[in-house]
Amino acid sequence: RVARNLPPVLWFLTVGPSASGKARTYDFMMDVFEASGLIEQIPVVDSFSPEGLVAEVADSPSRQVWLIPDEAHSLFQSMSRRDYMAGARAMLSKMADGRVIARKTMKNKTLIYDYTLNFYGTTQPEGFLKSLSAEDVNTGFLRRFFIIYRPEYTPQPWQELPPNGDETIRRLANGLMEIRKSLMQLEPGMDRAEADLTTPAFRRFVAMDKKQKEKALENPVLASILSGSTNHALKLATLLAVQARPELYMGGVTVDEEIMDQAASLVEAETAKAGTLIELIGSNESERVMEDIMSWLRKRPGRKATRTAIQQRFGKRIGSKWDMDKLEATLEDRGLIEVRMEQRGRRKAKVYVATRVK
């Protein structure tokens, strides 16, 4: 029997451009949370000092706190620039794992254990890259976050709210409360519920773990992120099993192969997407612009676009015509694009075509 003491707490960090839907996701999530009444049991914190956060957890009726910063990159920056936030990164890493925390001030000493700190943050790619360093990747701070990255803005049409929108929120809120209630009704003598993996589910997890380790050997820069992703899969699988609302048998739930595969597949896909962004941490703005241009080109019909279209989309970040010429030469030298002249109406236009990596 293999056991792992891993609280199923996922720290979500959503990264995407402005107007990409981050706010709508957050608003809906908070509507359900507030309708459930859990906000009285689980306080929400949007800014903190290390001592203040520990005190919030200690004073929480449920020993649970939800950290939801207005902009995640502002929080990350403050941890580097403000003296009173010294040690906050290391402390958050410990709190993500539910470690015992002791903070001592001139007036008192606070000790917290058997607690839960939840995190949900949003930010834009530029803020994400500017607020983090290679050290955040190497030390394991960033691996605590399950990162959802969407590099492109996807326009969404205006839609009327469904007439039963409030009822949907109430139904989800009631379901959330039912799940919480069932989890707190444990067998006598038990202080927590546990999740067991069936043998096929465990094999699927082992296969994922092996795959991520192989990728880490190929790309050492992402080794910490890839190794941390297996924990995310276990946590997500546990939450999915709980969401299915099975009867708690002997104070626990069972994760079957279907649920484990669903969790592992999602984590593998999202980690691969986030990896393209994380690799840019510590790079300069020119490298980031080129990466964004290539990502955009590869999704275009025919994997191509005119130079004019690229300047219109990325012009503010590229700069002058001289900067554009330099960027074009760099992309061409690296074999990332092929430059052609194509007829567009009565004129010929310079077109960039993303090459296919062999």
Side-chain angles (χ1 to χ4, degrees), residues 264-330:
S265 298
L266 177 61
V267 171
E268 286 169 346
E270 294 302 336
T271 302
K273 292 176 185 176
T276 62
L277 178 68
I278 295 169
E279 286 179 316
L280 296 176
I281 292 176
S283 64
N284 58 39
E285 177 63 13
S286 296
E287 292 290 338
R288 295 196 286 269
V289 172
M290 286 190 287
E291 178 66 25
D292 289 345
I293 289 174
M294 292 308 304
S295 176
W296 183 67
L297 275 178
R298 293 182 185 114
K299 296 176 182 177
R300 297 270 299 173
R303 297 167 62 89
K304 63 183 181 180
T306 64
R307 171 172 163 142
T308 300
I310 292 173
Q311 285 178 303
Q312 290 174 343
R313 185 176 183 86
F314 300 96
K316 291 182 179 179
R317 296 174 61 191
I318 293 172
S320 65
K321 178 182 179 299
W322 181 86
D323 293 319
M324 185 67 196
D325 291 339
K326 186 177 178 181
L327 184 146
E328 176 187 309
T330 301

Coordinates of all heavy atoms in Angstrom, one line a residue, residues 264-330:
A264 N -5.8 13.3 -14.9 CA -4.4 13.3 -15.4 C -4.4 13.9 -16.8 O -3.5 14.7 -17.1 CB -3.9 11.8 -15.5
S265 N -5.4 13.6 -17.6 CA -5.4 14.2 -19.0 C -5.5 15.7 -18.9 O -4.8 16.4 -19.7 CB -6.6 13.6 -19.8 OG -6.4 12.2 -19.9
L266 N -6.4 16.2 -18.1 CA -6.5 17.7 -17.9 C -5.2 18.3 -17.4 O -4.8 19.3 -18.0 CB -7.7 18.0 -17.0 CG -7.9 19.5 -16.7 CD1 -8.3 20.2 -18.0 CD2 -9.0 19.7 -15.7
V267 N -4.6 17.8 -16.4 CA -3.4 18.3 -15.9 C -2.3 18.3 -16.9 O -1.5 19.2 -17.0 CB -3.0 17.6 -14.6 CG1 -1.6 18.1 -14.1 CG2 -4.0 17.9 -13.5
E268 N -2.1 17.2 -17.6 CA -1.1 17.1 -18.6 C -1.3 18.2 -19.7 O -0.3 18.8 -20.1 CB -1.2 15.7 -19.3 CG -0.6 14.6 -18.4 CD -0.9 13.2 -19.0 OE1 -1.8 13.1 -19.9 OE2 -0.3 12.2 -18.5
A269 N -2.5 18.4 -20.1 CA -2.8 19.3 -21.2 C -2.5 20.8 -20.7 O -1.8 21.6 -21.4 CB -4.2 19.2 -21.7
E270 N -3.0 21.1 -19.5 CA -2.8 22.5 -19.0 C -1.4 22.7 -18.6 O -0.9 23.9 -18.8 CB -3.7 22.7 -17.7 CG -5.2 22.6 -18.1 CD -5.6 23.7 -19.1 OE1 -4.9 24.7 -19.2 OE2 -6.6 23.5 -19.8
T271 N -0.6 21.7 -18.1 CA 0.8 21.9 -17.8 C 1.6 22.2 -19.0 O 2.5 23.0 -19.0 CB 1.3 20.7 -17.0 OG1 0.6 20.5 -15.9 CG2 2.8 20.9 -16.6
A272 N 1.2 21.5 -20.1 CA 1.9 21.7 -21.4 C 1.7 23.2 -21.9 O 2.6 23.8 -22.4 CB 1.5 20.7 -22.4
K273 N 0.5 23.7 -21.8 CA 0.2 25.0 -22.2 C 0.9 26.0 -21.3 O 1.5 27.0 -21.8 CB -1.3 25.3 -22.1 CG -2.1 24.5 -23.2 CD -3.6 24.7 -23.0 CE -4.5 23.9 -23.9 NZ -5.9 24.0 -23.7
A274 N 0.8 25.8 -20.0 CA 1.5 26.8 -19.1 C 3.0 26.8 -19.3 O 3.6 27.8 -19.0 CB 1.1 26.4 -17.7
G275 N 3.5 25.6 -19.6 CA 5.0 25.5 -19.8 C 5.5 26.5 -20.8 O 6.6 27.0 -20.7
T276 N 4.7 26.8 -21.9 CA 5.2 27.7 -22.9 C 5.4 29.1 -22.4 O 6.2 29.9 -22.8 CB 4.2 27.7 -24.1 OG1 2.9 28.2 -23.7 CG2 4.1 26.4 -24.7
L277 N 4.6 29.4 -21.3 CA 4.7 30.7 -20.7 C 5.8 30.7 -19.6 O 6.6 31.7 -19.5 CB 3.3 31.1 -20.0 CG 3.3 32.4 -19.3 CD1 3.4 33.6 -20.2 CD2 2.0 32.6 -18.5
I278 N 5.8 29.7 -18.8 CA 6.8 29.6 -17.7 C 8.2 29.6 -18.3 O 9.1 30.2 -17.6 CB 6.5 28.3 -16.9 CG1 5.2 28.4 -16.2 CG2 7.6 28.1 -15.9 CD1 4.7 27.2 -15.6
E279 N 8.4 29.1 -19.4 CA 9.8 29.1 -20.0 C 10.3 30.5 -20.3 O 11.5 30.7 -20.5 CB 9.8 28.2 -21.3 CG 9.7 26.7 -21.1 CD 9.7 26.0 -22.4 OE1 9.0 26.4 -23.3 OE2 10.4 25.0 -22.5
L280 N 9.3 31.4 -20.4 CA 9.7 32.8 -20.7 C 10.1 33.6 -19.5 O 10.5 34.8 -19.6 CB 8.6 33.5 -21.5 CG 8.2 32.9 -22.9 CD1 7.0 33.6 -23.4 CD2 9.4 33.0 -23.8
I281 N 9.9 33.1 -18.3 CA 10.2 33.8 -17.1 C 11.7 34.1 -17.1 O 12.5 33.2 -17.2 CB 9.8 33.0 -15.8 CG1 8.3 32.9 -15.7 CG2 10.4 33.6 -14.6 CD1 7.8 32.0 -14.6
G282 N 12.0 35.3 -16.9 CA 13.4 35.7 -16.9 C 13.9 36.2 -18.2 O 15.0 36.7 -18.3
S283 N 13.1 36.0 -19.3 CA 13.5 36.4 -20.6 C 13.2 37.9 -20.8 O 12.4 38.5 -20.0 CB 12.8 35.6 -21.7 OG 11.4 35.8 -21.6
N284 N 13.7 38.5 -21.9 CA 13.4 39.9 -22.1 C 12.1 40.0 -22.9 O 11.5 39.1 -23.4 CB 14.6 40.6 -22.8 CG 14.9 39.9 -24.1 OD1 14.0 39.5 -24.9 ND2 16.2 39.8 -24.4
E285 N 11.6 41.3 -23.1 CA 10.4 41.5 -23.8 C 10.4 41.1 -25.2 O 9.4 40.6 -25.7 CB 10.0 43.0 -23.7 CG 8.8 43.5 -24.4 CD 7.5 42.8 -23.8 OE1 7.5 42.2 -22.7 OE2 6.4 42.9 -24.5
S286 N 11.5 41.3 -25.9 CA 11.6 40.9 -27.3 C 11.4 39.4 -27.5 O 10.6 39.0 -28.4 CB 13.0 41.2 -27.9 OG 13.2 42.6 -27.8
E287 N 11.9 38.6 -26.6 CA 11.7 37.1 -26.7 C 10.2 36.8 -26.4 O 9.7 35.9 -27.1 CB 12.6 36.4 -25.6 CG 14.0 36.4 -25.9 CD 14.4 35.6 -27.1 OE1 13.6 34.7 -27.5 OE2 15.5 35.9 -27.7
R288 N 9.6 37.5 -25.5 CA 8.2 37.3 -25.2 C 7.3 37.7 -26.4 O 6.3 37.0 -26.7 CB 7.8 38.0 -23.9 CG 8.5 37.5 -22.7 CD 7.8 38.0 -21.4 NE 8.0 39.4 -21.2 CZ 9.0 39.8 -20.4 NH1 9.9 39.0 -19.8 NH2 9.1 41.1 -20.2
V289 N 7.6 38.8 -27.0 CA 6.8 39.2 -28.2 C 7.0 38.2 -29.3 O 6.0 37.8 -30.0 CB 7.3 40.6 -28.7 CG1 6.6 40.9 -30.0 CG2 7.0 41.7 -27.7
M290 N 8.2 37.7 -29.6 CA 8.4 36.7 -30.6 C 7.6 35.4 -30.3 O 7.0 34.8 -31.2 CB 9.9 36.4 -30.8 CG 10.6 37.6 -31.5 SD 12.3 37.2 -32.0 CE 13.1 37.2 -30.4
E291 N 7.6 35.0 -29.1 CA 6.9 33.8 -28.7 C 5.4 34.0 -28.9 O 4.7 33.1 -29.4 CB 7.1 33.5 -27.2 CG 6.4 32.3 -26.7 CD 6.8 31.0 -27.3 OE1 8.0 30.9 -27.8 OE2 6.0 30.0 -27.4
D292 N 4.9 35.2 -28.6 CA 3.4 35.4 -28.8 C 3.1 35.5 -30.2 O 2.0 35.0 -30.7 CB 3.0 36.7 -28.1 CG 3.1 36.6 -26.6 OD1 3.1 35.5 -26.1 OD2 3.1 37.7 -25.9
I293 N 3.9 36.1 -31.1 CA 3.7 36.2 -32.5 C 3.7 34.8 -33.1 O 2.8 34.5 -33.9 CB 4.8 37.0 -33.2 CG1 4.6 38.5 -32.8 CG2 4.7 36.9 -34.7 CD1 5.7 39.4 -33.3
M294 N 4.6 33.9 -32.7 CA 4.6 32.6 -33.3 C 3.4 31.8 -32.8 O 2.9 31.0 -33.6 CB 5.9 31.9 -32.8 CG 7.2 32.5 -33.5 SD 7.1 32.6 -35.3 CE 6.7 30.9 -35.7
S295 N 3.0 31.9 -31.6 CA 1.8 31.2 -31.1 C 0.6 31.7 -31.9 O -0.2 30.8 -32.3 CB 1.6 31.5 -29.6 OG 0.4 31.0 -29.1
W296 N 0.5 33.0 -32.2 CA -0.6 33.5 -33.0 C -0.6 33.0 -34.4 O -1.6 32.6 -35.0 CB -0.6 35.0 -32.9 CG -1.7 35.7 -33.6 CD1 -3.0 35.7 -33.3 CD2 -1.6 36.5 -34.8 NE1 -3.8 36.4 -34.1 CE2 -3.0 36.9 -35.1 CE3 -0.6 36.9 -35.6 CZ2 -3.2 37.7 -36.2 CZ3 -0.9 37.7 -36.7 CH2 -2.2 38.1 -37.0
L297 N 0.6 33.0 -35.0 CA 0.7 32.6 -36.4 C 0.4 31.1 -36.6 O -0.3 30.7 -37.6 CB 2.2 32.8 -36.9 CG 2.6 34.1 -37.4 CD1 4.1 34.1 -37.8 CD2 1.8 34.5 -38.6
R298 N 0.8 30.3 -35.7 CA 0.5 28.8 -35.8 C -1.0 28.5 -35.7 O -1.4 27.5 -36.2 CB 1.2 28.1 -34.7 CG 2.8 28.1 -34.8 CD 3.5 27.3 -33.7 NE 4.9 27.5 -33.8 CZ 5.6 28.1 -32.9 NH1 5.1 28.6 -31.8 NH2 6.9 28.2 -33.0
K299 N -1.8 29.4 -35.2 CA -3.2 29.2 -35.1 C -4.0 29.8 -36.2 O -5.2 29.6 -36.3 CB -3.7 29.7 -33.7 CG -3.2 29.0 -32.5 CD -3.6 29.6 -31.2 CE -3.0 28.9 -30.0 NZ -3.4 29.6 -28.8
R300 N -3.3 30.6 -37.1 CA -3.9 31.2 -38.2 C -4.2 30.3 -39.3 O -3.5 29.3 -39.5 CB -3.0 32.4 -38.7 CG -2.8 33.5 -37.6 CD -3.8 34.5 -37.7 NE -3.8 35.2 -39.1 CZ -4.7 36.1 -39.4 NH1 -5.7 36.4 -38.6 NH2 -4.7 36.6 -40.6
P301 N -5.2 30.6 -40.2 CA -5.4 29.7 -41.4 C -4.1 29.8 -42.3 O -3.6 30.8 -42.6 CB -6.6 30.4 -42.1 CG -7.3 31.1 -41.0 CD -6.2 31.6 -40.0
G302 N -3.6 28.6 -42.6 CA -2.4 28.5 -43.4 C -1.2 28.9 -42.6 O -0.1 29.0 -43.2
R303 N -1.3 29.1 -41.3 CA -0.2 29.4 -40.4 C 0.6 30.6 -40.9 O 1.8 30.7 -40.8 CB 0.8 28.2 -40.4 CG 0.2 27.0 -39.7 CD 1.1 25.7 -40.0 NE 2.4 25.9 -39.4 CZ 2.7 25.5 -38.1 NH1 1.8 25.0 -37.3 NH2 3.9 25.6 -37.7
K304 N -0.2 31.6 -41.4 CA 0.5 32.8 -41.9 C -0.3 34.1 -41.7 O -1.5 34.0 -41.4 CB 0.8 32.6 -43.4 CG -0.5 32.5 -44.3 CD -0.2 32.3 -45.7 CE -1.4 32.1 -46.6 NZ -1.1 31.9 -48.0
A305 N 0.4 35.2 -41.8 CA -0.3 36.5 -41.7 C 0.6 37.6 -42.4 O 1.9 37.4 -42.5 CB -0.5 36.9 -40.3
T306 N 0.1 38.7 -42.8 CA 0.9 39.7 -43.4 C 1.6 40.4 -42.3 O 1.3 40.4 -41.1 CB 0.0 40.7 -44.1 OG1 -0.9 41.4 -43.2 CG2 -0.8 40.1 -45.2
R307 N 2.7 41.0 -42.7 CA 3.5 41.8 -41.8 C 2.7 43.0 -41.2 O 2.8 43.3 -40.0 CB 4.8 42.4 -42.5 CG 5.5 43.4 -41.6 CD 6.9 43.8 -42.3 NE 7.4 45.0 -41.7 CZ 8.7 45.2 -41.5 NH1 9.6 44.2 -41.7 NH2 9.1 46.4 -41.0
T308 N 1.8 43.5 -42.0 CA 1.0 44.6 -41.6 C 0.0 44.2 -40.5 O -0.2 44.9 -39.5 CB 0.2 45.2 -42.8 OG1 1.1 45.7 -43.8 CG2 -0.8 46.3 -42.3
A309 N -0.6 43.0 -40.7 CA -1.5 42.4 -39.7 C -0.8 42.2 -38.3 O -1.3 42.5 -37.3 CB -2.1 41.1 -40.2
I310 N 0.5 41.7 -38.4 CA 1.2 41.5 -37.2 C 1.5 42.8 -36.5 O 1.4 43.0 -35.3 CB 2.5 40.7 -37.5 CG1 2.2 39.3 -38.0 CG2 3.5 40.7 -36.3 CD1 3.3 38.5 -38.5
Q311 N 1.9 43.8 -37.3 CA 2.2 45.2 -36.7 C 0.9 45.8 -36.1 O 1.0 46.4 -35.0 CB 2.7 46.1 -37.8 CG 4.1 45.8 -38.2 CD 4.6 46.7 -39.3 OE1 4.0 46.8 -40.4 NE2 5.7 47.4 -39.0
Q312 N -0.2 45.5 -36.7 CA -1.5 46.1 -36.1 C -1.8 45.4 -34.8 O -2.3 46.0 -33.9 CB -2.6 45.9 -37.1 CG -2.5 46.8 -38.3 CD -3.6 46.4 -39.4 OE1 -4.2 45.4 -39.4 NE2 -3.8 47.4 -40.3
R313 N -1.5 44.1 -34.7 CA -1.9 43.3 -33.5 C -0.8 43.5 -32.4 O -1.2 43.6 -31.2 CB -2.0 41.8 -33.8 CG -2.5 41.0 -32.7 CD -2.7 39.6 -33.1 NE -3.2 38.8 -32.0 CZ -4.5 38.6 -31.7 NH1 -5.4 39.3 -32.4 NH2 -4.9 37.9 -30.6
F314 N 0.4 43.6 -32.7 CA 1.5 43.6 -31.7 C 2.3 44.9 -31.8 O 3.4 45.0 -31.1 CB 2.5 42.4 -31.9 CG 1.8 41.1 -31.8 CD1 1.4 40.4 -32.9 CD2 1.6 40.5 -30.6 CE1 0.8 39.1 -32.8 CE2 1.0 39.2 -30.4 CZ 0.6 38.5 -31.6
G315 N 1.9 45.9 -32.5 CA 2.7 47.1 -32.8 C 3.1 47.8 -31.5 O 4.3 48.2 -31.4
K316 N 2.3 47.9 -30.5 CA 2.6 48.6 -29.3 C 3.8 47.9 -28.5 O 4.6 48.6 -27.9 CB 1.4 48.7 -28.3 CG 0.4 49.7 -28.9 CD -0.8 49.8 -27.9 CE -1.9 50.7 -28.4 NZ -3.0 50.9 -27.4
R317 N 3.9 46.6 -28.7 CA 4.9 45.9 -28.0 C 6.2 45.8 -28.9 O 7.3 45.6 -28.3 CB 4.4 44.5 -27.6 CG 3.3 44.5 -26.6 CD 2.7 43.1 -26.4 NE 3.7 42.2 -25.9 CZ 3.6 40.9 -25.8 NH1 2.5 40.3 -26.3 NH2 4.5 40.1 -25.3
I318 N 6.0 45.9 -30.2 CA 7.2 45.7 -31.1 C 8.0 47.0 -31.1 O 9.2 47.0 -31.0 CB 6.7 45.3 -32.5 CG1 6.1 43.9 -32.5 CG2 7.9 45.4 -33.5 CD1 5.5 43.5 -33.8
G319 N 7.3 48.2 -31.3 CA 8.0 49.4 -31.4 C 8.0 50.0 -32.8 O 7.1 49.9 -33.5
S320 N 9.2 50.5 -33.2 CA 9.4 51.2 -34.5 C 9.6 50.2 -35.7 O 9.6 49.0 -35.5 CB 10.6 52.1 -34.4 OG 11.8 51.3 -34.3
K321 N 9.6 50.8 -36.9 CA 9.9 49.9 -38.1 C 11.2 49.2 -37.9 O 11.4 48.1 -38.4 CB 9.8 50.8 -39.3 CG 10.1 50.1 -40.6 CD 10.1 51.0 -41.8 CE 10.5 50.3 -43.1 NZ 11.8 49.6 -43.0
W322 N 12.2 49.9 -37.4 CA 13.5 49.3 -37.2 C 13.4 48.1 -36.3 O 14.0 47.1 -36.5 CB 14.5 50.4 -36.6 CG 15.9 49.8 -36.4 CD1 16.9 49.8 -37.3 CD2 16.4 49.2 -35.2 NE1 18.0 49.2 -36.7 CE2 17.7 48.9 -35.4 CE3 15.9 49.0 -33.9 CZ2 18.6 48.3 -34.5 CZ3 16.7 48.4 -33.0 CH2 18.0 48.1 -33.2
D323 N 12.6 48.2 -35.2 CA 12.4 47.1 -34.3 C 11.7 45.9 -35.0 O 12.1 44.8 -34.8 CB 11.6 47.5 -33.1 CG 12.3 48.5 -32.2 OD1 13.5 48.3 -32.0 OD2 11.7 49.5 -31.7
M324 N 10.8 46.2 -35.9 CA 10.1 45.2 -36.6 C 11.0 44.5 -37.6 O 11.0 43.3 -37.7 CB 8.9 45.8 -37.4 CG 8.0 44.8 -38.1 SD 7.1 43.8 -36.9 CE 6.6 42.4 -38.0
D325 N 11.9 45.3 -38.2 CA 12.9 44.7 -39.1 C 13.8 43.7 -38.4 O 14.1 42.6 -38.9 CB 13.7 45.8 -39.8 CG 12.9 46.6 -40.8 OD1 11.8 46.1 -41.3 OD2 13.3 47.7 -41.1
K326 N 14.2 44.1 -37.2 CA 15.1 43.3 -36.4 C 14.4 42.0 -36.0 O 15.0 40.9 -36.0 CB 15.6 44.1 -35.2 CG 16.7 43.4 -34.4 CD 17.1 44.3 -33.2 CE 18.1 43.6 -32.4 NZ 18.6 44.5 -31.2
L327 N 13.2 42.2 -35.6 CA 12.4 41.0 -35.1 C 12.2 40.0 -36.3 O 12.3 38.8 -36.1 CB 11.1 41.5 -34.6 CG 10.1 40.4 -34.0 CD1 9.3 41.0 -32.8 CD2 9.1 39.9 -35.0
E328 N 11.9 40.6 -37.5 CA 11.7 39.7 -38.6 C 13.0 38.9 -39.0 O 12.9 37.7 -39.2 CB 11.3 40.6 -39.8 CG 11.2 39.8 -41.1 CD 11.0 40.7 -42.3 OE1 10.1 41.6 -42.3 OE2 11.7 40.6 -43.3
A329 N 14.1 39.6 -38.9 CA 15.4 39.0 -39.2 C 15.7 37.9 -38.2 O 16.2 36.8 -38.6 CB 16.5 40.0 -39.2
T330 N 15.4 38.1 -36.9 CA 15.7 37.1 -35.9 C 14.8 35.9 -36.1 O 15.3 34.8 -36.0 CB 15.4 37.7 -34.5 OG1 16.2 38.9 -34.3 CG2 15.7 36.7 -33.4

